[in-house]
C-alpha cells in the first residue's frame, strides 16, 4: 500500500481473480473505514490472516503487471537498507497518475423528508447539498470547519439523508492530436472539380481545400493546425468544411516527448579518451563498478557515448543518471545528436503524463526508451534488460534524497540495481566523492583516469584574491575587488563570456536596523528573512513565507534599515551599474521555476546573448560553454565555514567544478577566487587542483574523528511543534541508544536552523565502527524505535531515520 506502514496486507480474491492476478499488478482496495488506495500485488498465497478478517479487493486495475520482479527486489533492498516502509518506496517510485486515491463523493437522498431529526452540523451539510448536487469529504470539512467529519457523515447515512459513492479518478490522459482528411466520398478524383466549383463563392473555404491538396504532396498525415497555418484560414472555416462533409477530423494518440532531427556519427576520440575507453572495458571484465576520474573538460561524455553505443548494439538498455535538471537540458541535446529517438528523459520538471509515457515505454522495452536520461528518481523505472548505468558527476549531493522518505542515495541504489540486473556501472567525476575514491583505492571498484583536457587545452590558472588586504587598501568596489573588475573588463573587450558564482540567492540574507540591531525573522522558522529586491519583499527560504519589505524597524520604529551579506540578485544589480552596456543574466532557483526555465537561460548564454552569468551551484555542474574565459567565485569562505564534516570536501569539489567551466575551447581560462583566508589549505589545494593531496588530508581527519568512509552514520531526527515534547523525547532516546552503542552516539543536538515550519528539530547521530554488523545495528535501532513509539507522550512526534545521512 502507498502508506508509510512497514508490513504488507492480505486481501481475499475469487478463484478466477487468483488465476488472473500476477505480482506487480495494481488493485483498488478499501483500507480503514472510508479510504481507498491503489494497492500493488506483492505476492499470492492461500493462508488467511490470523489477526483480522481479510477484506475483498474492489477491482483489478491492470491487464498486465506494471512493476516487474527485479523492481520489487530493488524496492525491498531500499526499504531494508534505508530503514523505511516499503509503501514509501512504492509511493516514491510510481508516477502519481498510477496511484489512484479516493475522493469520497456525497449525494443528497431525494426521498428524505424529515429534517427535524438532524442536529445543527448535520443540517448544515444537508442544506449545502440543496445548493450543490454533490460534495467531497474535503468540502464538507471546510463547511463545518472540522477535520473529523466522517462520524457526522456516517450518522447522516444512518438517518438516510444522504448516500455516498466512492469515485476513483483515472488521472493519465493520452495526448490526442487532431488531423484532417478528405471525406470518403471525395476519394474518387472525378468529384474534385465539381467540389471546387461548388466552393467558388466561398473563397476562404476554397483556399483551404487547395492548401490541403498542396500539403498532401508530402504524403504525410495533415494536422488541422498545419492546415490552418498554411492556408491562413481560421479554425471556424475548417470546421465549416467538416460540417459540409467535405473534410473530416480524426485523432491520433501521440507521445508527448519525441525528437525530430538527424542522428550524427559519434565523434572520434583522441588518444587519451581511447585509452580511457580501453581501460574501462578491461576494468569491466573483472569489476562491475568502475570509477572514471577525468579532469573538467576532458571529454568524459564522449567516452560514455562509445560505451552506450556498444551496449545498445548488444540489445540492452542504458540508464544515464545526472544530478541536476539543469544538466539534462544540455546533455539531452548532445546525446540526441548521436542517438536520436532512442532517448527518453525522466525528471520532476516533466508533467505527470509525460512521466507515465516514459514508464510505459521502458516497461515495454520500446525503441524510444533504450537510453533513459534522468535525475535520481529514474532508478525506479521498470527496466527489463539493463546493460549499463552511467552516473555522471557521481560526487553530487543532489543524488541524495532528504525529504520525504525513502531517503536514498541514487548512486548507491544504482550500484545495487546494476548488480541485480548483472549490468555494469560507470561512475564519472572530475572530483570523486571520498567514499568512491577510497573504494577504488581499496580495489573494490575499478579505476580509470583521464588527466588531459580535450584538445590539449591547459587547466585554468587559478588566482586567490585576499579580501582583507583589498578592504584595508580600499580597493573594493561593492563586492568586487579591483583585480576581478579588471579581468571582467578585459574578457568583455575580447568578446568573451564570464561566469560569477555566489551560492546564495536573493538580494541579501539579513536586513538589520541600524539603531537597535533588530532583524526581521520568519514566524515559522528560526531564520532571518532574505530580502528579494526584485519583488521588494522578505522571504523565508525554508517555508516560503513572504511579506512586503517594511519601511521602518518593527522593534524601534527607526527607518534606517541596512542589508547585510549578499546574494545573486545583489551581484546582478551591481554588475548592471558597473557594466551598463552588457547583458547580465542570473541563474538560480528564482529564475528557473518553469519547465523550460533552465533551457531559456542556458540557451541565451550559449547563443551569447548574455555576457555575464551570475548563479548559484547550478552553474558548477558539468555545463559546457565554449566561450567562457573567466570564472569568479565571489566569496569562498561561506562554503568552508560550514558545520558539517564534509564541508571541506564539498568546498573543494564545488570550486574545482566551477573553475572547470573556464577556458574549455581555445585559450586557457582564468579563475579568480575572492577570500578572507587565502592561506586555507583547501583553497591552496584548489589553486593547484590537487585532488590526491586533498583526499589524503581529509582521509586522515575522517579516520581520526570516526567518519565515513571508515565509520557508517545513521542520523535520527525528531520533529514536533511542542518544544518540551521533542526535548523529552530526544533525551529518552539518547539514553536508550547510549545503553546499546555507548560512546558511538553523538548528541542530542539542535541543527543550525532548529525550527522549520513551526516544527522543532533535534538530532542524534549513531556511528557504526568498521567491524560492527550494519544489519544487527539496524535491528537494535528498530527495536528502540518501536519502544519509543509505544510511549503515549512520544507517539505524535515525527521519528525520522536517515541512513548514510551525508
Amino acid at each position: 500500500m502507498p502508506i508509510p506502514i512497514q508490513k504488507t496486507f492480505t486481501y481475499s480474491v475469487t478463484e478466477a481473480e487468483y488465476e488472473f492476478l500476477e505480482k506487480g499488478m495494481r488493485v483498488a482496495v478499501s483500507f480503514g473505514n472510508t479510504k481507498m488506495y491503489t494497492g500493488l500485488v506483492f505476492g499470492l498465497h492461500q493462508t488467511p490472516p490470523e489477526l483480522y478478517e481479510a477484506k475483498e479487493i474492489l477491482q483489478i486495475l491492470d491487464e498486465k503487471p506494471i512493476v516487474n520482479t527485479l523492481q520489487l527486489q530493488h524496492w525491498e533492498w531500499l526499504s531494508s537498507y534505508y530503514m523505511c516502509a516499503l509503501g514509501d518506496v512504492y509511493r516514491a517510485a510510481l508516477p502519481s497518475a498510477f496511484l489512484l486515491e479516493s475522493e469520497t463523493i456525497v449525494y443528497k437522498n431525494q426521498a428524505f423528508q424529515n429534517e427535524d431529526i438532524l442536529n445543527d452540523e448535520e443540517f448544515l451539510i444537508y442544506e449545502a447539498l440543496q445548493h450543490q448536487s454533490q460534495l467531497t469529504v474535503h468540502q464538507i470539512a471546510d463547511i463545518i470547519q472540522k477535520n473529523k467529519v466522517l462520524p457526522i457523515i456516517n450518522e447522516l447515512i444512518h438517518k438516510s439523508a444522504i448516500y455516498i459513492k466512492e469515485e476513483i479518478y483515472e488521472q493519465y490522459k493520452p495526448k490526442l492530436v487532431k488531423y484532417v482528411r478528405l471525406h470518403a466520398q471525395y476519394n474518387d478524383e472525378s468529384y474534385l472539380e465539381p467540389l471546387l466549383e461548388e466552393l467558388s463563392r466561398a473563397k476562404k473555404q476554397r483556399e483551404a481545400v487547395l492548401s490541403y491538396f498542396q500539403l498532401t504532396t508530402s504524403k504525410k498525415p495533415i494536422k488541422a493546425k498545419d492546415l490552418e497555418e498554411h492556408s491562413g484560414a481560421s479554425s471556424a472555416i475548417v470546421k465549416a468544411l467538416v460540417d459540409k462533409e467535405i473534410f473530416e477530423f480524426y485523432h491520433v494518440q501521440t507521445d508527448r516527448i519525441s525528437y525530430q532531427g538527424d542522428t550524427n556519427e559519434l565523434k572520434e576520440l583522441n588518444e587519451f579518451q581511447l585509452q580511457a575507453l580501453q581501460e574501462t572495458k578491461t576494468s569491466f571484465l573483472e569489476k562491475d563498478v568502475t570509477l572514471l576520474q577525468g579532469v573538467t573538460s576532458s571529454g568524459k561524455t564522449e567516452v560514455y557515448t562509445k560505451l552506450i553505443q556498444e551496449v545498445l548494439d548488444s540489445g540492452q538498455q542504458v540508464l544515464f543518471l545526472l544530478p541536476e535538471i539543469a544538466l539534462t537540458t544540455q546533455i539531452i541535446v548532445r546525446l540526441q545528436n548521436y542517438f536520436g529517438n532512442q532517448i527518453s528523459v525522466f525528471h520532476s520538471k516533466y508533467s505527470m503524463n509525460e512521466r507515465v509515457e516514459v514508464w510505459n515505454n521502458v516497461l515495454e522495452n520500446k525503441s524510444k526508451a533504450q537510453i533513459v536520461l534522468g535525475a535520481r528518481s529514474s532508478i525506479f523505472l521498470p527496466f527489463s534488460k539493463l546493460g549499463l548505468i552511467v552516473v555522471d558527476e557521481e560526487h553530487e549531493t543532489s543524488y541524495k534524497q532528504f525529504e520525504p522518505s525513502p531517503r536514498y542515495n541514487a548512486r548507491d541504489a544504482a550500484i545495487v540495481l546494476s548488480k541485480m540486473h548483472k549490468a555494469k556501472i560507470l561512475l564519472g567525476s572530475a572530483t570523486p566523492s571520498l567514499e568512491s575514491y577510497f573504494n577504488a583505492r581499496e580495489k573494490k571498484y575499478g579505476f580509470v583516469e583521464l588527466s588531459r583536457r580535450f584538445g590539449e587545452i591547459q587547466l585554468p590558472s587559478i588566482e586567490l584574491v585576499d579580501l582583507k588586504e583589498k578592504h584595508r587598501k580600499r580597493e573594493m568596489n561593492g563586492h568586487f575587488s579591483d583585480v576581478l573588475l579588471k579581468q571582467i573588463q578585459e574578457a568583455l573587450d575580447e568578446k568573451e563570456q564570464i561566469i560569477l558564482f555566489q551560492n546564495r540567492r536573493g538580494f541579501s540574507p539579513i536586513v538589520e536596523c541600524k539603531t537597535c540591531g533588530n532583524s526581521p525573522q520568519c514566524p515559522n522558522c528560526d531564520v532571518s528573512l532574505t530580502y528579494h529586491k526584485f519583488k521588494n519583499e522578505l522571504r523565508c527560504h525554508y517555508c516560503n513565507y513572504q511579506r512586503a519589505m517594511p519601511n521602518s524597524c518593527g522593534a524601534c520604529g527607526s527607518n534606517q534599515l541596512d542589508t547585510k551579506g549578499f546574494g545573486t540578485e545583489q551581484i546582478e544589480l551591481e554588475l548592471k551599474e558597473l557594466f551598463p552596456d552588457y547583458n547580465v543574466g542570473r541563474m538560480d532557483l528564482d529564475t528557473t521555476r518553469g519547465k523550460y526555465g533552465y533551457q531559456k537561460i542556458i540557451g541565451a548564454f550559449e547563443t551569447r546573448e548574455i555576457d555575464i552569468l551570475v548563479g548559484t551551484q547550478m552553474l558548477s555542474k558539468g555545463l559546457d560553454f565554449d566561450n567562457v574565459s573567466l570564472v569568479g567565485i565571489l566569496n569562498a569562505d561561506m562554503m568552508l565555514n560550514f558545520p558539517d564534516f564534509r564541508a571541506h570536501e564539498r568546498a573543494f569539489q564545488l570550486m574545482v567544478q566551477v573553475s572547470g567551466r573556464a577556458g574549455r575551447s581555445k585559450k586557457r581560462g582564468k579563475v579568480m577566487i575572492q577570500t578572507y583566508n587565502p592561506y586555507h589549505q583547501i583553497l591552496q589545494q584548489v589553486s593547484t587542483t590537487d585532488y590526491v593531496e586533498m583526499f589524503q588530508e581529509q582521509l586522515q581527519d575522517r579516520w581520526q574523528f570516526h567518519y565515513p568512509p571508515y565509520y557508517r552514520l545513521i542520523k535520527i531526527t525528531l520533529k514536533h511543534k511542542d518544544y518540551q515534547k521533542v526535548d523529552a523525547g530526544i533525551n529518552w532516546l539518547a539514553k536508550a541508544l547510549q545503553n546499546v552503542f555507548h560512546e558511538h552516539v553523538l548528541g542530542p543536538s539542535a541543527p543550525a536552523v532548529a525550527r522549520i515550519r513551526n516544527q522543532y528539530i533535534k538530532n542524534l547521530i549513531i556511528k557504526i565502527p568498521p567491524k560492527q554488523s550494519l544489519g544487527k545495528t539496524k535491528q537494535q535501532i528498530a527495536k528502540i524505535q518501536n519502544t519509543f513509539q509505544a510511549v503515549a507522550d512520544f507517539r505524535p512526534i515525527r521519528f525520522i531515520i536517515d541512513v548514510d545521512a551525508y
Side-chain angles (χ1 to χ4, degrees):
M1 303 276 241
I3 48 177
I5 295 179
Q6 195 59 50
K7 56 182 190 183
T8 54
F9 298 89
T10 301
Y11 282 77
S12 72
V13 289
T14 63
E15 200 171 330
E17 287 171 332
Y18 186 81
E19 297 299 323
F20 178 77
L21 279 171
E22 291 176 56
K23 214 171 161 174
M25 282 185 182
R26 292 172 309 148
V27 287
V29 290
S30 70
F31 188 73
N33 295 335
T34 55
K35 281 279 199 296
M36 263 166 111
Y37 286 110
T38 303
L40 194 72
V41 179
F42 201 71
L44 296 153
H45 62 84
Q46 305 244 8
T47 40
E50 290 169 10
L51 299 173
Y52 56 92
E53 186 70 33
K55 292 181 181 175
E56 291 183 4
I57 62 168
L58 300 170
Q59 67 193 89
I60 298 173
L61 299 173
D62 293 312
E63 293 289 313
K64 51 181 196 285
I66 61 160
V67 173
N68 62 38
T69 43
L70 278 168
Q71 264 177 300
L72 291 172
Q73 275 178 16
H74 191 227
W75 294 2
E76 282 185 280
W77 176 82
L78 278 163
S79 148
S80 75
Y81 185 84
Y82 289 106
M83 296 182 76
C84 62
L86 199 55
D88 280 336
V89 185
Y90 168 41
R91 183 177 274 287
L94 256 69
S96 56
F98 282 145
L99 295 169
L100 312 172
E101 289 196 9
S102 61
E103 279 281 26
T104 312
I105 305 271
V106 176
Y107 298 91
K108 185 180 78 166
N109 181 4
Q110 301 296 350
F112 179 74
Q113 298 296 331
N114 187 5
E115 293 179 11
D116 303 337
I117 60 170
L118 304 179
N119 67 23
D120 294 352
E121 283 175 336
E122 291 165 2
F123 184 73
L124 267 177
I125 298 170
Y126 183 73
E127 193 184 37
L129 281 167
Q130 309 274 17
H131 302 293
Q132 277 171 294
S133 56
Q134 58 182 60
L135 290 170
T136 65
V137 172
H138 293 301
Q139 288 168 325
I140 291 175
D142 290 343
I143 291 169
I144 60 173
Q145 291 173 343
K146 270 189 171 180
N147 281 344
K148 294 196 172 166
V149 291
L150 296 173
I152 303 169
I153 295 174
N154 280 336
E155 191 55 36
L156 276 165
I157 296 168
H158 187 63
K159 292 175 179 172
S160 334
I162 61 171
Y163 64 95
I164 65 170
K165 265 190 191 164
E166 285 282 356
E167 281 206 10
I168 290 192
Y169 291 126
E170 182 65 75
Q171 291 166 318
Y172 171 65
K173 293 187 180 62
K175 182 179 179 185
L176 297 172
V177 176
K178 197 196 277 184
Y179 285 90
V180 177
R181 62 182 167 216
L182 266 184
H183 203 280
Q185 64 193 35
Y186 295 109
N187 283 351
D188 188 357
E189 290 191 4
S190 59
Y191 289 113
L192 297 179
E193 245 173 67
L195 167 64
L196 290 173
E197 272 174 32
E198 189 189 319
L199 292 177
S200 58
R201 288 204 187 140
K203 251 199 192 135
K204 285 279 172 80
Q205 293 182 6
R206 184 189 155 105
E207 275 171 26
V209 175
L210 286 169
S211 293
Y212 174 82
F213 289 127
Q214 281 174 332
L215 289 168
T216 49
T217 53
S218 69
K219 296 273 190 287
K220 279 184 183 166
I222 295 162
K223 289 182 189 165
K225 206 161 104 201
D226 291 350
L227 179 63
E228 285 163 25
E229 278 174 17
H230 190 266
S231 65
S234 66
S235 53
I237 291 167
V238 180
K239 181 147 180 7
L241 286 164
V242 172
D243 294 342
K244 284 186 177 177
E245 295 199 339
I246 293 168
F247 281 161
E248 60 183 10
F249 287 143
Y250 64 104
H251 290 86
V252 177
Q253 182 177 329
T254 61
D255 273 5
R256 286 175 167 77
I257 305 155
S258 61
Y259 169 74
Q260 281 87 31
D262 306 322
T263 52
N264 304 316
E265 288 294 300
L266 296 185
K267 279 190 187 166
E268 284 300 307
L269 300 188
N270 64 22
E271 54 178 313
F272 305 109
Q273 287 170 315
L274 272 171
Q275 190 185 342
L277 181 65
Q278 268 325 110
E279 284 176 19
T280 307
K281 286 189 202 162
T282 317
S283 152
F284 275 153
L285 296 175
E286 290 172 22
K287 305 252 188 333
D288 290 336
V289 188
T290 295
L291 175 65
L292 169 64
Q293 183 187 12
V295 294
T296 52
S297 186
S298 57
K300 293 188 285 293
T301 313
E302 307 307 330
V303 179
Y304 302 153
T305 50
K306 290 282 191 207
L307 282 169
I308 290 172
Q309 188 60 61
E310 289 181 16
V311 174
L312 292 182
D313 293 343
S314 68
Q316 290 173 301
Q317 295 165 310
V318 177
L319 171 60
F320 196 116
L321 283 176
L322 293 155
E324 269 288 347
I325 301 169
L327 254 184
T328 54
T329 52
Q330 242 199 353
I331 289 205
I332 289 167
V333 177
R334 285 170 69 177
L335 292 184
Q336 275 178 339
N337 280 341
Y338 304 140
F339 302 112
N341 224 342
Q342 294 174 294
I343 296 182
S344 286
V345 183
F346 191 84
H347 59 61
S348 61
K349 280 275 199 289
Y350 273 15
S351 73
M352 209 53 265
N353 293 335
E354 288 168 330
R355 282 189 269 174
V356 170
E357 258 156 34
V358 174
W359 182 283
N360 289 333
N361 290 343
V362 173
L363 185 65
E364 291 157 23
N365 198 3
K366 286 198 177 159
S367 64
K368 63 173 65 168
Q370 292 307 300
I371 304 174
V372 174
L373 194 70
R376 59 173 181 246
S377 54
S378 45
I379 59 161
F380 292 123
L381 287 166
F383 296 102
S384 48
K385 298 170 81 175
L386 199 55
L388 172 72
I389 302 178
V390 176
V391 184
D392 197 18
E393 308 294 346
E394 64 85 33
H395 63 277
E396 263 305 325
T397 43
S398 321
Y399 281 129
K400 170 83 173 126
Q401 163 127 332
F402 291 104
E403 274 302 321
S405 166
R407 297 173 177 80
Y408 64 99
N409 184 319
R411 177 197 61 208
D412 302 346
I415 290 173
V416 175
L417 183 67
S418 70
K419 217 174 193 64
M420 288 177 176
H421 280 273
K422 300 190 170 52
K424 304 292 181 199
I425 181 163
L426 182 64
L427 311 175
S429 172
T431 49
S433 62
L434 250 79
E435 299 84 38
S436 299
Y437 195 74
F438 179 74
N439 283 333
R441 288 268 297 259
E442 298 284 302
K443 301 278 186 284
K444 204 169 150 186
Y445 297 171
F447 181 67
V448 177
E449 199 171 9
L450 232 180
S451 53
R452 301 281 186 92
R453 283 187 127 182
F454 193 79
E456 291 294 314
I457 298 155
Q458 287 177 297
L459 282 167
S461 65
I462 298 176
E463 192 179 322
L464 299 173
V465 180
D466 187 349
L467 288 178
K468 260 199 325 270
E469 273 296 283
K470 296 288 174 196
H471 275 294
R472 198 170 58 83
K473 293 181 178 166
R474 305 255 165 100
E475 288 174 343
M476 293 294 287
N477 186 341
H479 293 103
F480 298 93
S481 56
D482 55 343
V483 218
L484 179 58
L485 285 176
K486 189 170 147 245
Q487 294 286 355
I488 293 177
Q489 191 58 60
E490 278 176 17
L492 289 171
D493 294 343
E494 294 280 328
K495 302 254 183 307
E496 290 161 347
Q497 289 166 297
I498 296 126
I499 286 180
L500 295 176
F501 173 81
Q502 167 61 3
N503 212 1
R504 268 274 160 84
R505 63 194 171 98
F507 183 84
S508 81
I510 299 171
V511 174
E512 191 178 75
C513 169
K514 283 185 176 174
T515 315
C516 69
N518 181 45
S519 70
Q521 301 285 319
C522 171
N524 313 318
C525 315
D526 280 349
V527 283
S528 59
L529 294 169
T530 304
Y531 173 43
H532 284 247
K533 190 164 189 171
F534 175 61
K535 288 187 171 166
N536 198 31
E537 65 180 12
L538 296 172
R539 190 186 290 167
C540 169
H541 285 175
Y542 286 86
C543 70
N544 266 338
Y545 166 85
Q546 52 207 47
R547 67 172 213 232
M549 171 74 176
N551 295 327
S552 57
C553 169
C556 71
S558 153
N559 55 5
Q560 288 189 302
L561 295 177
D562 186 24
T563 56
K564 288 226 175 346
F566 62 105
T568 47
E569 217 177 275
Q570 191 166 346
I571 298 300
E572 183 190 18
L573 289 169
E574 280 186 21
L575 284 168
K576 280 179 177 163
E577 281 173 22
L578 290 165
F579 304 103
D581 308 337
Y582 296 95
N583 284 336
V584 180
R586 171 163 64 95
M587 181 162 156
D588 56 29
L589 203 61
D590 300 317
T591 59
T592 54
R593 294 261 179 220
K595 178 173 170 184
Y596 299 108
Y598 296 102
Q599 270 148 315
K600 279 182 198 145
I601 296 169
I602 290 173
F605 196 64
E606 279 180 332
T607 53
R608 309 190 183 178
E609 288 165 33
I610 297 176
D611 301 304
I612 308 175
L613 184 59
V614 185
T616 55
Q617 63 195 18
M618 292 177 181
L619 288 175
S620 66
K621 316 297 185 334
L623 296 168
D624 185 17
F625 303 116
D626 57 357
N627 192 36
V628 174
S629 64
L630 173 69
V631 167
I633 296 175
L634 294 169
N635 184 351
D637 308 305
M638 235 171 58
M639 297 181 262
L640 291 167
N641 308 328
F642 213 72
D644 175 21
F645 74 95
R646 302 190 63 162
H648 286 176
E649 176 196 350
R650 292 244 166 95
F652 178 87
Q653 288 166 342
L654 242 176
M655 284 188 258
V656 169
Q657 290 287 348
V658 174
S659 311
R661 303 307 119 227
R664 291 175 76 97
S665 65
K666 297 174 217 56
K667 62 179 224 184
R668 189 176 184 188
K670 265 212 167 112
V671 180
M672 312 288 287
I673 300 178
Q674 297 193 149
T675 167
Y676 284 98
N677 186 1
Y679 300 107
H680 194 291
Q681 89 265 16
I682 285 288
L683 292 172
Q684 292 295 328
Q685 286 154 5
V686 169
S687 66
T688 54
T689 330
D690 193 341
Y691 178 82
V692 177
E693 190 190 325
M694 185 277 302
F695 171 78
Q696 283 162 342
E697 197 169 294
Q698 291 301 314
L699 211 57
Q700 266 174 327
D701 283 357
R702 301 281 179 92
W703 174 248
Q704 194 177 341
F705 298 111
H706 298 180
Y707 277 109
Y710 299 107
Y711 280 58
R712 310 294 277 275
L713 295 188
I714 294 181
K715 177 174 164 188
I716 296 177
T717 305
L718 297 188
K719 286 184 179 177
H720 194 264
K721 55 179 183 290
D722 179 348
Y723 178 78
Q724 255 65 43
K725 266 199 174 134
V726 176
D727 201 44
I730 202 86
N731 289 329
W732 182 95
L733 199 61
K735 285 200 180 84
L737 288 167
Q738 277 155 0
N739 287 339
V740 183
F741 302 113
H742 314 298
E743 75 278 10
H744 293 308
V745 179
L746 288 191
S749 66
V753 180
R755 180 177 61 113
I756 295 177
R757 295 197 172 102
N758 279 324
Q759 301 258 349
Y760 289 94
I761 304 171
K762 287 276 176 115
N763 294 330
L764 278 170
I765 287 179
I766 300 158
K767 291 184 175 176
I768 304 166
K771 296 276 189 291
Q772 189 173 312
S773 151
L774 193 61
K776 290 210 172 81
T777 307
K778 287 178 182 168
Q779 282 171 2
Q780 293 278 18
I781 294 173
K783 225 184 247 169
I784 292 172
Q785 180 186 6
N786 290 338
T787 318
F788 176 84
Q789 288 171 332
V791 179
D793 276 2
F794 299 156
R795 205 166 292 142
I797 300 176
R798 262 193 82 195
F799 191 107
I800 297 167
I801 299 180
D802 191 352
V803 180
D804 298 344
Y806 46 80

